């Protein structure tokens, strides 16, 4: 495949969980923010809150970016022209999450290109109410994901990915099954075991509901980890609908929270 500095930054990116104490300069922070702003967008529904208090950050990262789905700003913009928001929250969040994702990825790649490392904190949305209070977020602003950023103090290899044949299809989708499914699973499991990934991070997920755990550490890998995660956690939609409501979004089809009070 073709190689250039941008592609190399993408291909070499990995999650960093140990950082040096060095604080990136104001110029670097400005560059990361501007790179995030230049991402593609549906309606510029992404915003950032930047924290520089390493003592309070996961992994003691010097920088912590909170990426927001920011509908509050656009409501003010259209309101200045006499319009009221009528788009459903389901559609609004679809486009808002797209914008936030694009912004996040731009910040990640820009950081990588500047010699910084990063780690996404995917559980951010489930702590939305606490984060909104901590950062003074108004209604209609949702903390989607957080990104820890700083200079790496470790150099792990990039994590494995499915083979291309299991991720890209010509013309129409092909469901994985049989030998093709087993081959894709084997690529992932062998890659993670070679890195001793889950044992090194002490990230093994315990079994719930009284299930007996018979999988030895030597064979606990990606596909088993995925089964335990997606087969046990977050069974109730309220786990996410509650935080969304707390930030002024309603996907229940009921009364619009903006009409309350």
């Amino acid at each position: 495949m073709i190689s250039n500095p941008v592609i190399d930054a993408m291909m070499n990116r990995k999650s960093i969980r140990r950082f040096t104490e060095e604080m990136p300069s104001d110029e670097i922070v400005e560059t990361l923010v501007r790179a995030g702003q230049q991402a593609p967008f549906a309606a510029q529904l992404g915003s950032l809150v930047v924290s520089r208090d390493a003592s309070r950050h996961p992994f003691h990262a010097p920088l912590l970016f909170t990426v927001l789905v920011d509908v509050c700003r656009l409501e003010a913009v259209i309101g200045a022209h006499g319009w009221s928001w009528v788009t459903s929250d389901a559609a609004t969040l679809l486009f808002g999450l797209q914008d936030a994702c694009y912004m996040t990825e731009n910040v990640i790649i820009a950081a990588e290109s500047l010699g910084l490392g990063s780690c996404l904190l995917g559980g951010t949305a489930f702590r939305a109410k606490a984060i909104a209070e901590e950062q003074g977020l108004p209604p209609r602003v949702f903390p989607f994901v957080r990104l820890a950023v700083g200079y790496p103090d470790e150099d792990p290899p990039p994590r494995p990915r499915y083979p291309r044949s299991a991720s890209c299809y010509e013309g129409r989708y092909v469901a994985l099954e049989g030998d093709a499914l087993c081959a894709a699973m084997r690529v992932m499991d062998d890659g993670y075991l070679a890195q001793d990934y889950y044992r090194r991070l002490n990230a093994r997920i315990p079994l719930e509901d009284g299930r007996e755990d018979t999988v030895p550490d030597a064979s606990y890998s990606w596909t088993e980890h995925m089964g335990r995660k997606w087969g046990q956690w977050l069974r109730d939609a309220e786990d996410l609908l509650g935080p969304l409501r707390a930030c002024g979004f309603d996907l229940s089809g009921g009364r619009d929270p903006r009409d309350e009070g």
Side-chain angles (χ1 to χ4, degrees):
M1 60 179 282
I2 295 171
S3 178
N4 63 37
V6 176
I7 298 296
D8 290 346
M10 292 178 175
M11 299 301 292
N12 292 325
R13 195 218 67 83
K14 57 266 191 179
S15 293
I16 297 297
R17 297 178 176 86
R18 285 170 45 196
F19 299 91
T20 71
E21 295 181 358
E22 182 179 357
M23 176 64 69
S25 68
D26 290 347
E27 185 179 24
I28 284 180
V29 174
E30 175 68 13
T31 301
L32 297 181
V33 172
R34 290 290 293 119
Q37 286 184 285
Q38 287 303 120
F41 61 80
Q44 291 196 81
L45 292 167
S47 291
L48 298 168
V49 172
V50 186
S51 171
R52 309 189 198 210
D53 186 358
S55 66
R56 300 181 61 194
H57 297 166
F59 320 122
H60 298 291
L63 299 175
L64 183 66
F65 290 87
T66 304
V67 186
L68 310 170
V69 175
D70 186 353
V71 180
C72 178
R73 179 180 57 215
L74 189 55
E75 285 187 326
V77 168
I78 70 170
H81 284 269
W83 290 92
S84 297
W85 198 279
V86 299
T87 303
S88 72
D89 279 355
T92 297
L93 284 167
L94 174 66
F95 292 112
L97 292 171
Q98 289 179 36
D99 285 1
C101 283
Y102 307 149
M103 173 175 270
T104 304
E105 185 67 8
N106 264 30
V107 174
I108 289 171
I109 299 304
E112 192 75 23
S113 75
L114 295 171
L116 296 162
S118 64
C119 185
L120 281 165
L121 307 174
T124 299
F126 300 98
R127 298 184 55 247
K129 184 176 181 180
I131 292 171
E133 292 173 352
E134 171 193 334
Q135 297 186 338
L137 304 182
R140 309 291 283 167
V141 177
F142 185 69
F144 169 54
V145 72
R146 281 179 154 175
L147 184 67
V149 176
Y151 290 102
D153 196 25
E154 62 176 346
D155 188 23
R159 282 188 281 173
R161 299 296 193 273
Y162 284 128
R164 182 187 185 281
S165 60
S167 298
C168 181
Y169 313 101
E170 296 288 340
R172 58 186 294 133
Y173 184 86
V174 179
L176 281 179
E177 56 186 4
D179 290 343
L181 175 61
C182 290
M185 293 172 64
R186 188 162 52 249
V187 166
M188 296 301 298
D189 285 338
D190 288 351
Y192 272 78
L193 288 171
Q195 295 181 13
D196 199 24
Y197 184 82
Y198 293 113
R199 185 156 49 181
R200 178 168 51 86
L201 291 179
N202 192 28
R204 183 187 182 108
I205 298 173
L207 292 176
E208 300 175 1
D209 300 329
R211 300 182 193 180
E212 182 182 2
D213 195 339
T214 61
V215 179
D217 285 343
S219 59
Y220 182 91
S221 195
W222 192 78
T223 56
E224 175 67 20
H225 192 76
M226 291 298 102
R228 296 183 183 207
K229 178 181 289 188
W230 301 103
Q232 296 186 126
W233 294 355
L234 301 174
R235 305 179 191 197
D236 190 345
E238 188 61 26
D239 292 333
L240 184 56
L241 294 177
L244 282 166
R245 278 197 303 273
C247 292
F249 297 91
D250 186 6
L251 297 182
S252 68
R255 184 180 181 187
D256 191 322
R258 290 166 292 169
D259 294 336
E260 296 178 0

